[in-house]
Amino acid sequence: MTTQPLPLPDNAELLRLDHQVCFSLNAAARAFGGVYRDALKDLGLTYPQYLTMLVLWEECAPQPVKALGERLRLDSGTLSPLLKRLEAAGLVVRERSAEDERSVVVRLTRAGEELRERALPVPSLIATATGLSREEAHTLRALLEKLTGNLDTAHGGR
Amino acid sequence: MTTQPLPLPDNAELLRLDHQVCFSLNAAARAFGGVYRDALKDLGLTYPQYLTMLVLWEECAPQPVKALGERLRLDSGTLSPLLKRLEAAGLVVRERSAEDERSVVVRLTRAGEELRERALPVPSLIATATGLSREEAHTLRALLEKLTGNLDTAHGGR
DNA sequence: CTCCATTTAATTGCGCACAACTGAATCGTG
DNA sequence: CACGATTCAGTTGTGCGCAATTAAATGGAG
């Protein structure tokens, strides 16, 4: 047995550790936001708008809002106004699906497709800014995906 | 040399990888938000409010808004209204510093101190929900802090 | 065919994050 | 001491994130 004068190996100690697990993650996410803000300023996109465009650039076919939401982990409460802004910027059009009148499909305009060219240099800018090696990035991503999966089931699937 | 028909080991490929580095981080941060939302509902705190209270619980002495902002990486534009809500909830009081009239110091009320007891079980709830081992959590935290540091310098210190 | 449950977007309301700006207090230099 | 630069908190405006609700379309059971 160890000679320990410490009176709290318990919750009170955790209340400090806690300050670092979740918090460093939050800080990193916001730091990422700052760098992307700089990189995307010229394109006139915000970071979430950029992520949305990424999905659209990947899947050339028009996407229902629902599918976009699943890909981005966002609900219509967030996506509807965001897509409206992209539409106002002339990058996408939204139109009711013919087969299912409930669904709204999002399609890139010519301008939206062309913007892809100007966005090509962005990822390498960001990759440089992270200063992580390929292996570190891979480790990080694996941990984060495990974490997200665990947290999701804890929260109730959703 | 390898027989590769692949025409794009370049930026176009990165545009997909990119979708995973920043994105998994964002997703994890929001997943954390969901779990904390559940855990903090009974305390009447949001996640950022909880982080603020954590700082106040750690440093018993009254904190200037500026110091809180540095600890939390938040500016007055975010903190001012947040602290107003905490004050409205009776957890803190804000008062102009006597020595420096520009500064506003934030002090816990009795209710704010007492809330700490009810918050004690939160960290272990969260730790369980993450499903990460101690080592994984440590690795993750180290990577995130390195990442944040790198991103910050890239963004311009700020 | 009718009716009810489900699916799908949109809307509302609240809070956070950040840039840009305002105004007051302080500090430093001449 | 005076005056200009700096520091500090607050305010405004925009956009994201999410819960809760609404409304329309669809699908299935009777």
Side-chain angles (χ1 to χ4, degrees), chain A residues 48-142:
Chain A
Q49 287 166 8
Y50 170 72
L51 292 176
T52 305
M53 293 300 288
L54 275 187
V55 174
L56 292 171
W57 286 328
E58 236 177 73
E59 306 273 344
C60 297
Q63 301 270 311
V65 172
K66 167 89 178 201
L68 278 176
E70 280 166 2
R71 203 90 161 69
L72 296 165
R73 299 175 56 90
L74 293 173
D75 65 0
S76 65
T78 300
L79 274 180
S80 287
L82 188 152
L83 291 171
K84 245 185 211 173
R85 283 175 212 116
L86 288 181
E87 188 171 40
L91 299 174
V92 306
V93 288
R94 298 179 304 151
E95 36 203 18
R96 288 278 159 193
S97 164
E99 310 99 46
D100 188 340
E101 288 282 336
R102 292 170 301 182
S103 177
V104 167
V105 294
V106 180
R107 189 169 49 79
L108 285 173
T109 62
R110 174 61 58 103
E113 285 168 2
E114 285 171 357
L115 191 66
R116 186 175 192 270
E117 303 304 313
R118 298 211 290 139
L120 285 178
V122 169
S124 51
L125 278 180
I126 303 296
T128 303
T130 64
L132 296 184
S133 71
R134 235 165 226 284
E135 276 161 322
E136 286 172 322
H138 184 266
T139 305
L140 180 57
R141 209 159 56 68

Side-chain angles (χ1 to χ4, degrees), chain B residues 21-71:
Chain B
V21 238
C22 60
F23 187 68
S24 59
L25 200 146
N26 227 309
R30 287 190 283 126
F32 246 126
V35 173
Y36 270 105
R37 219 185 317 282
D38 290 351
L40 296 173
K41 200 167 39 186
D42 291 346
L43 304 182
L45 291 176
T46 67
Y47 178 39
Q49 286 166 8
Y50 169 73
L51 292 176
T52 305
M53 294 300 287
L54 275 188
V55 173
L56 292 171
W57 285 328
E58 238 177 71
E59 306 274 342
C60 296
Q63 302 268 313
V65 172
K66 167 89 178 200
L68 278 175
E70 280 166 3
R71 202 91 160 70

